[in-house]
Amino acid sequence: MPELPEVETVRKQLAQELADASIVGIVVRDSRCYEGLAWSRVEKIVAVARSGKYLFVKFESGRGIQVHLKMTGRLILNKLTDQQTNIPTELDYEFAPHTRVVIALGDGRKVYYWDTRMFGYIKHVEDIETQHAKIKSSLGPEPWDLSDNDLRHKLQRTARSIKEAILDQHLLSGVGNIYANDGLWLAGIDPRRKANSLKVSEVAKLRQSLCEVLQRGLATGGASDNTYRDLYGGRGGYQNEFLVYGRTDEPCNKCGTALKRIVVGGRGTWVCDLCQS
DNA sequence: CTTTTTCCCTGGACGC
DNA sequence: TGCGTCCAGGGAAAAA
């Protein structure tokens, strides 16, 4: 599932590949993955931005597209040649059964929106800056963009579990199930604890831990345990170093105790009974 | 305002 | 082998 590190990985790749590029057409193969009016004109791309798990591709005209990959979405670039990279283009997304939207670029390249479960979408908007601002204002800050004290105040206002709280994009943005699980383990905090029961020192430790696991995700190109792939169809590396996520019955990295899978807020949750009490 | 519930989807896992 | 059932899960929207 694409979370902040995965989306940021794609954003960086898009920004590099689409600099000075233009879109000359969009073919919608499944309208459930596309919102907004259809259009056919040349749109020069001027920026690719991200807030939380949302992507914004901004056009010179002021228009743009908002993208959310949700659970299984991928943005895949088919290059005319791939001599600049060692990554083989083994998959042809032109004919892939789950390719939902095809974006044609002015130089002949194509960007494919691929999504099996179709929770994600591309949304075309007339005023991308206003749309970006609107989304951003509805999101909480990313873990490195607020102080320990600010986080503590936010957490004190809710009676939900700490895990549900940090997964709430209105409270904190960018953190999904993978990094929430690993961050809580790194901080030594039980995900079932009430958010407003955390001590000052625990809030600081949690924020620090979330920053750490997100940075690690960024450094490894994200987690490809499931369907996530980067812009070139490649895998990230974070799935090879999950701290607890998905590791049912495997030993805790700190104490060796078998990790357990529980359910918190309806989401799969992995804990070490000894290290997270 | 806060919290809960429902819904959107399909591939893969599982049971018989 | 094959069929039916269950489950994963981000976020919008409605309901409580």
Side-chain angles (χ1 to χ4, degrees):
Chain A
M1 69 204 80
E3 307 178 25
L4 190 154
E6 291 76 27
V7 178
E8 176 62 15
T9 298
V10 173
R11 187 204 66 78
K12 278 188 275 196
Q13 293 172 333
L14 277 173
Q16 184 177 340
E17 294 289 346
L18 301 187
D20 302 317
S22 59
I23 294 176
V24 295
I26 292 189
V27 176
V28 179
R29 295 189 183 174
D30 193 310
S31 60
R32 288 173 292 183
C33 290
Y34 189 84
E35 289 178 49
L37 297 172
W39 50 277
S40 56
R41 57 176 168 264
V42 178
E43 294 278 15
K44 188 175 188 305
I45 294 160
V46 292
V48 186
R50 177 192 61 78
S51 283
K53 305 173 194 172
Y54 292 82
L55 278 174
F56 303 89
V57 181
K58 303 180 177 182
F59 306 156
E60 197 174 51
S61 65
R63 302 184 189 93
I65 53 175
Q66 171 186 320
V67 183
H68 201 301
L69 302 175
K70 291 287 181 84
M71 302 302 300
T72 56
R74 296 177 183 172
L75 282 171
I76 301 288
L77 175 72
N78 266 14
K79 306 187 82 165
L80 293 176
T81 68
D82 64 348
Q83 293 171 355
Q84 292 167 328
T85 168
N86 293 324
I87 301 168
T89 53
E90 77 283 5
L91 276 176
D92 192 342
Y93 281 82
E94 179 68 39
F95 302 105
H98 305 305
T99 295
R100 313 295 184 184
V101 181
V102 183
I103 301 171
L105 303 180
D107 57 12
R109 292 180 298 167
K110 286 179 178 177
V111 176
Y112 296 97
Y113 180 72
W114 180 98
D115 194 343
T116 55
R117 290 185 209 169
M118 297 196 289
F119 278 16
Y121 60 87
I122 293 178
K123 181 176 183 174
H124 174 249
V125 293
E126 289 297 314
D127 185 342
I128 193 69
E129 290 299 345
T130 299
Q131 178 66 15
H132 186 175
K134 180 185 159 193
I135 294 290
K136 195 171 180 181
S137 71
S138 73
L139 294 172
E142 294 174 8
W144 38 65
D145 284 336
L146 82 170
S147 66
D148 294 337
N149 213 34
D150 287 343
L151 181 56
R152 190 172 65 91
H153 287 309
K154 284 172 177 286
L155 295 178
Q156 277 182 338
R157 267 184 261 129
T158 180
R160 287 176 299 176
S161 70
I162 182 60
K163 184 173 182 231
E164 288 173 275
I166 62 175
L167 283 173
D168 182 348
Q169 303 299 299
H170 304 293
L171 194 152
L172 206 61
S173 64
V175 179
N177 206 22
I178 292 173
Y179 299 96
N181 274 289
D182 279 9
L184 283 162
W185 176 84
L186 192 58
I189 296 169
D190 189 318
R192 294 161 288 195
R193 292 263 305 278
K194 294 285 184 189
N196 56 18
S197 77
L198 266 64
K199 294 186 292 188
V200 173
S201 61
E202 291 176 318
V203 173
K205 178 77 176 145
L206 176 58
R207 195 182 71 81
Q208 166 66 28
S209 299
L210 286 172
C211 289
E212 246 179 88
V213 293
L214 288 174
Q215 294 288 3
R216 192 63 202 148
L218 283 166
T220 54
S224 294
D225 64 315
N226 201 359
T227 59
Y228 168 72
R229 296 293 184 276
D230 67 20
L231 186 64
Y232 307 109
R235 291 167 189 257
Y238 189 76
Q239 69 279 6
N240 299 318
E241 47 187 272
F242 284 148
L243 300 175
V244 291
Y245 178 80
R247 296 183 53 209
T248 312
D249 294 334
E250 288 183 38
C252 167
N253 291 355
K254 290 182 199 169
C255 72
T257 302
L259 300 173
K260 280 196 338 196
R261 182 189 189 277
I262 58 176
V263 174
V264 177
R267 305 279 146 100
T269 303
W270 288 266
V271 289
C272 170
D273 275 339
L274 238 57
C275 298
Q276 293 169 275
S277 49

